[in-house]
Amino acid sequence: MDKQGLGAGQGLHARVLDSLGPAITAGEYPVGSVLRTDELEERFDVSRSVIREAIRVLESMNLVASRRRVGVTVLPADEWNVYDPRVIRWRLAGPDRPRQLRSLTVLRSAVEPAAAGLAALRATPEQCAELTEHALGMVATSRGQQLDAYLVHDIAFHRVILRASGNEMFARLGDVVAEVLTGRTHHHVMFTDPDPAAVTLHVRVAEAVRERDAARAEALTREIAAGAMAELDILAP
């Protein structure tokens, strides 16, 4: 066992990862930079096994690669696993936030309307009830600067849409959408209170899914995506 102990080692590994990951995605380590294990040990005051575990996770995201006789080198952005929720979180925390938000919102615009159309055809009664519950939760928390409470329902609503589509590829994007919505809220790329029109659209999507109206569910979700892009034009130009 490491000198720090198992639980402490896991905490230290997370601390190292949460320092190196944002630094790499923010460009503080240029492409081709070499991360030396001994230097990282000294910098973070942790054991070699902790550094190795953090590097292993960064390798799984394709942020770095271990090369024989070279060491751990930083990879170019076009090789990163840009769908990894932690990579998304780190990039949204960095200087490239506006462009990253746009890229992710375009992705949502392409996927979520199709998912909503499929959900209208395939959602179970339980999923329809979940959609209605979270849409009404969004209404209830959309005033009085309750953005954190609103976020919980917003994330849950979009997860249900993606899952109810019956398409496992769409469903796996739930974590991606959750990070986008969380990043918008935590980095203040949201109005103090959500746009009432957007809130109403979520309620209407839930109704369309419940009524098995695929065309309307898809069209309304496309409106939600267009509204999100319009907000970015104002808040993250």
Side-chain angles (χ1 to χ4, degrees):
M1 184 179 290
D2 290 344
K3 62 185 178 184
Q4 293 96 344
L6 180 59
Q10 290 173 336
L12 290 169
H13 146 260
R15 177 168 66 84
V16 173
L17 193 61
D18 286 340
S19 177
L20 288 178
I24 292 170
T25 56
E28 294 175 25
Y29 292 96
V31 175
S33 296
V34 177
L35 305 181
R36 303 195 181 283
T37 303
D38 53 349
E39 292 176 359
L40 293 175
E41 283 180 59
E42 184 176 349
R43 173 183 166 189
F44 291 104
D45 190 25
V46 295
S47 67
R48 178 158 297 196
S49 62
V50 170
I51 295 298
R52 282 176 175 166
E53 177 60 17
I55 293 299
R56 185 191 66 77
V57 175
L58 293 174
E59 284 183 302
S60 74
M61 301 172 179
N62 277 0
L63 295 183
V64 301
S66 295
R67 296 196 169 102
R68 220 173 190 180
R69 292 190 294 274
V70 175
V72 179
T73 59
V74 175
L75 295 174
D78 59 7
E79 295 189 35
W80 298 349
N81 179 3
V82 293
Y83 288 102
D84 188 295
R86 285 169 296 188
V87 174
I88 292 171
R89 189 181 316 146
W90 294 335
R91 295 179 78 187
L92 288 177
D96 201 28
R97 182 184 306 136
R99 191 175 70 84
Q100 173 74 345
L101 279 171
R102 257 166 215 295
S103 177
L104 290 163
T105 303
V106 169
L107 174 67
R108 291 183 60 199
S109 301
V111 170
E112 289 195 85
L118 289 171
L121 302 175
R122 300 175 178 176
T124 64
E126 292 76 18
Q127 288 170 330
C128 290
E130 281 185 78
L131 278 179
T132 299
E133 174 192 347
H134 292 301
L136 294 178
M138 292 171 73
V139 172
T141 56
S142 63
R143 287 290 171 268
Q145 300 181 23
Q146 303 180 69
L147 287 182
D148 286 337
Y150 180 88
L151 176 64
V152 171
H153 292 292
D154 198 10
I155 289 174
F157 181 94
H158 290 279
R159 281 191 186 278
V160 175
I161 286 288
L162 292 166
R163 194 171 66 248
S165 72
N167 182 300
E168 73 278 9
M169 304 299 287
F170 286 174
R172 288 297 298 272
L173 291 174
D175 288 344
V176 172
V177 172
E179 287 298 336
V180 180
L181 296 173
T182 300
R184 286 176 56 201
T185 300
H186 290 174
H187 296 296
H188 310 293
V189 192
M190 284 273 290
F191 294 115
T192 315
D193 283 327
D195 177 16
V199 177
T200 300
L201 283 170
H202 284 77
V203 175
R204 292 175 63 196
V205 169
E207 291 172 350
V209 171
R210 188 172 63 249
E211 294 168 6
R212 305 301 182 189
D213 190 334
R216 187 156 60 96
E218 182 170 344
L220 290 167
T221 306
R222 203 172 299 284
E223 283 189 56
I224 292 174
M229 187 63 80
E231 281 191 9
L232 290 182
D233 291 338
I234 297 169
L235 298 171

